[in-house]
Amino acid sequence: MLDVPHPTTDEPGETSFDLRKEAEAAGITDTLQQLDQELIGLKPVKNGVRQIASLLLIERIRQRAGLASAPPTLHMSFTGNPGTGKTTVALRMAKILHGLGFVRRGQVISVTRDDLVGQYIGHTAPKTKEILKKAMGGVLFIDEAYYLHRPDNERDYGQESIEILLQVMENQREDLVVILAGYGERMTSFFASNPGFRSRIAHHIEFPDYAEAELLVIAELMLKERGYRFSAAAREAFEKYIELRRSQPFFSNARSIRNAVDRIRLRQADRLVSDLDRMLDVADLETIDPADVLASRVFSGGADARSANP
Amino acid sequence: MKLTQGCFSFLPELTDDQITKQVQYCLANGWAVNIEFTDDPHPRNTYWEMWGLPMFDLQDAAGVMMELAECRRVYGDRYIRVSGFDSSHGWESVRISFIVNRPPQEAEFELVRQEVGGRAIRYTTVRKPAAHAAQ
């Protein structure tokens, strides 16, 4: 309120609008482009985000034109398997909302059940309110939201937290946007047992699993960010790795790939250090050899799955 | 008699919008915003009771306004003030404090003079009993 011009303060009566200029001024074009470039795949998500951004942009212009406009409900739910980019997209979403002036500050507070629900009677309400206060003017991202509701325990304090959340989501829609995230099926049953949530959330976005080719591109992007690259043979080995890893338990998409990349770096460093008498050049330092990939336990029947390293 | 303590107290009562802006100013400066209430607004009573903890990690004034609404609901018949505490080195003190809620019937004070040795005068501010009690 102090520094962000709120859309309602604009005088009505303008009649023509340069849409491109409006979009650029709000920073949407940049953010969407960034979303396109930095996130591999995720077609339906990008479409969903683009639609919401368009709605918000038009809504803002309508306000300025003096047309009837109700403040849109912006609460969202992101469903999808682990590692499909829900948190990353939530951060981008906050940027878009902030650019358009639908949230005033644009900070993202990311919480889970532990941050909202207390451990004894009378502990939950202050805890939930504390988080809500921090999130005011921004986005509250509740990860694994279905844990809030424990159907097997009717005296669980989660229900208390849900009630406070619902009340604020309804009464202070202009002050904060709530994004619930979690794995598909469990979110469905969560919404089924909390119809209040379902009806207060306008946008449901589903995050699909990555295809193998997309995972490879992601891996290469991650390596590039860290200043490495695959040799041709290592690339092939990694394709094989993805294929095997996907069929093993606890596969969590991009997150598994990130862990794999980190372990590959470890093995590469180990391989280089094991031969101390050798002169290294830059190519040695940045190239991943097939040996670094093939040493993974994934190739020996998936011991990865049984270790504490999902 | 309108009680005048802290900032803005000679101005008309602040509206909620104005309070929001003041609070936002405090938060933008990184001050901890406190809500305090009391039924004893004597000028020498610096220790008002706190409504909850100081709010030092908020981004937006809406959170403070939420607490203020709650405090007004419970203690609407008392004085409530909002203060901003600056913890930065060299300041470490309250930078702003203003009243945001008054009881329907304001407290009244009067000056009592006491003559002591050598015709010196001692002054005391005492609270007058509430009007309905006096009648």
Side-chain angles (χ1 to χ4, degrees):
Chain A
M1 278 211 176
L2 188 71
D3 42 9
V4 182
H6 213 257
T8 49
T9 57
D10 286 337
E11 82 279 12
E14 287 176 70
T15 47
S16 65
F17 302 92
D18 183 348
L19 207 52
R20 175 171 295 277
K21 228 159 104 192
E22 296 288 339
E24 269 164 15
I28 315 183
T29 6
D30 279 352
T31 317
L32 286 181
Q33 232 165 34
Q34 228 186 341
L35 200 72
D36 254 344
Q37 284 166 0
E38 289 174 16
L39 297 185
I40 313 292
L42 295 178
K43 261 272 145 54
V45 175
K46 286 174 186 168
N47 281 341
V49 172
R50 181 168 296 116
Q51 278 174 1
I52 295 174
S54 310
L55 170 75
L56 297 182
L57 183 66
I58 294 299
E59 191 64 30
R60 195 164 88 146
I61 294 175
R62 279 174 61 96
Q63 269 174 0
R64 299 220 329 247
L67 292 170
S69 71
T73 308
L74 292 167
H75 306 308
M76 299 170 210
S77 97
F78 290 176
T79 52
N81 285 327
T84 44
K86 298 184 289 287
T87 316
T88 316
V89 173
L91 291 172
R92 295 294 156 77
M93 201 47 145
K95 239 190 223 170
I96 293 175
L97 291 171
H98 184 48
L100 285 164
F102 282 91
V103 295
R104 291 190 295 268
R105 315 279 151 219
Q107 87 274 24
V108 179
I109 304 290
S110 178
V111 298
T112 55
R113 177 189 158 95
D114 287 352
D115 301 300
L116 294 169
V117 179
Q119 289 167 357
Y120 42 84
I121 292 181
H123 190 204
T124 302
K127 230 176 150 178
T128 304
K129 278 193 185 147
E130 198 63 34
I131 295 291
L132 282 169
K133 278 189 283 178
K134 272 189 215 176
M136 285 290 170
V139 172
L140 178 63
F141 181 76
I142 306 179
D143 209 359
E144 302 183 74
Y146 41 78
Y147 280 133
L148 283 178
H149 178 72
R150 292 249 169 97
D152 45 319
N153 181 359
E154 61 187 48
R155 275 190 292 178
D156 181 58
Y157 301 134
Q159 199 56 43
E160 195 182 342
S161 182
I162 289 176
E163 274 155 28
I164 298 171
L165 279 173
L166 285 178
Q167 201 190 339
V168 173
M169 278 166 79
E170 187 62 34
N171 298 339
Q172 290 178 278
R173 265 182 295 178
E174 288 114 73
D175 289 330
L176 93 162
V177 171
V178 177
I179 298 181
L180 304 176
Y183 311 145
E185 289 160 40
R186 306 187 62 177
M187 285 304 275
T188 313
S189 62
F190 173 69
F191 283 131
S193 49
N194 294 280
F197 260 124
R198 169 149 226 121
S199 59
R200 279 176 184 82
I201 287 176
H203 311 280
H204 293 260
I205 298 184
E206 220 161 295
F207 287 63
D209 282 344
Y210 289 107
E212 279 170 31
E214 286 166 352
L215 288 171
L216 184 66
V217 179
I218 291 173
E220 286 188 312
L221 200 71
M222 284 176 179
L223 284 174
K224 204 174 146 202
E225 275 170 11
R226 294 161 168 79
Y228 291 86
R229 60 184 168 78
F230 281 130
S231 68
R235 191 166 191 273
E236 250 166 63
F238 199 74
E239 272 172 48
K240 196 85 196 257
Y241 173 93
I242 293 174
E243 198 187 315
L244 283 170
R245 184 68 188 85
R246 259 165 75 94
S247 60
Q248 287 167 5
F250 303 118
F251 176 68
S252 50
N253 289 293
R255 199 172 302 144
S256 290
I257 297 300
R258 190 180 60 207
N259 292 343
V261 164
D262 284 343
R263 285 195 299 273
I264 285 171
R265 284 171 63 200
L266 211 67
R267 287 192 287 266
Q268 187 238 23
D270 196 36
R271 172 172 59 85
L272 293 179
V273 172
S274 66
D275 186 7
L276 284 175
D277 298 325
R278 204 178 128 208
M279 291 303 285
L280 289 176
D281 57 19
V282 179
D284 286 327
L285 289 172
E286 64 175 16
T287 310
I288 303 289
D289 274 0
D292 305 328
V293 179
L294 291 169
S296 166
R297 277 168 298 183
V298 169
F299 290 100
S300 55
D304 263 3
R306 258 169 286 135
S307 76
N309 212 352
Chain B
M1 185 178 78
K2 189 183 171 201
L3 193 76
T4 51
Q5 280 185 27
C7 312
F8 318 125
S9 56
F10 287 94
L11 297 177
E13 291 298 288
L14 297 183
T15 64
D16 275 8
D17 268 356
Q18 290 167 329
I19 296 171
T20 307
K21 284 186 178 167
Q22 292 299 337
V23 170
Q24 193 58 52
Y25 172 77
C26 296
L27 293 174
N29 281 310
W31 302 343
V33 178
N34 311 284
I35 295 174
E36 296 161 286
F37 61 92
T38 192
D39 56 359
D40 175 20
H42 191 282
R44 289 294 172 92
N45 173 24
T46 44
Y47 301 112
W48 293 29
E49 272 168 88
M50 289 204 65
W51 176 263
L53 298 172
M55 292 171 266
F56 47 79
D57 48 3
L58 305 196
Q59 303 276 325
D60 191 86
V64 176
M65 297 310 286
M66 194 170 90
E67 286 293 338
L68 179 58
E70 188 65 14
C71 182
R72 275 180 176 154
R73 196 177 62 74
V74 179
Y75 293 116
D77 57 345
R78 302 193 186 183
Y79 287 94
I80 302 175
R81 73 181 175 194
V82 168
S83 62
F85 181 85
D86 184 354
S87 62
S88 60
H89 183 73
W91 279 101
E92 292 135 339
S93 61
V94 169
R95 295 281 294 270
I96 187 174
S97 165
F98 54 96
I99 292 175
V100 292
N101 191 72
R102 296 165 185 277
Q105 181 130 43
E106 292 235 33
E108 303 212 348
F109 296 92
E110 65 186 353
L111 193 67
V112 174
R113 295 181 184 77
Q114 184 191 13
E115 206 164 320
V116 290
R119 301 206 63 181
I121 301 267
R122 279 184 178 161
Y123 299 99
T124 316
T125 311
V126 288
R127 183 166 178 177
K128 281 206 280 195
H132 58 85
Q135 280 158 10

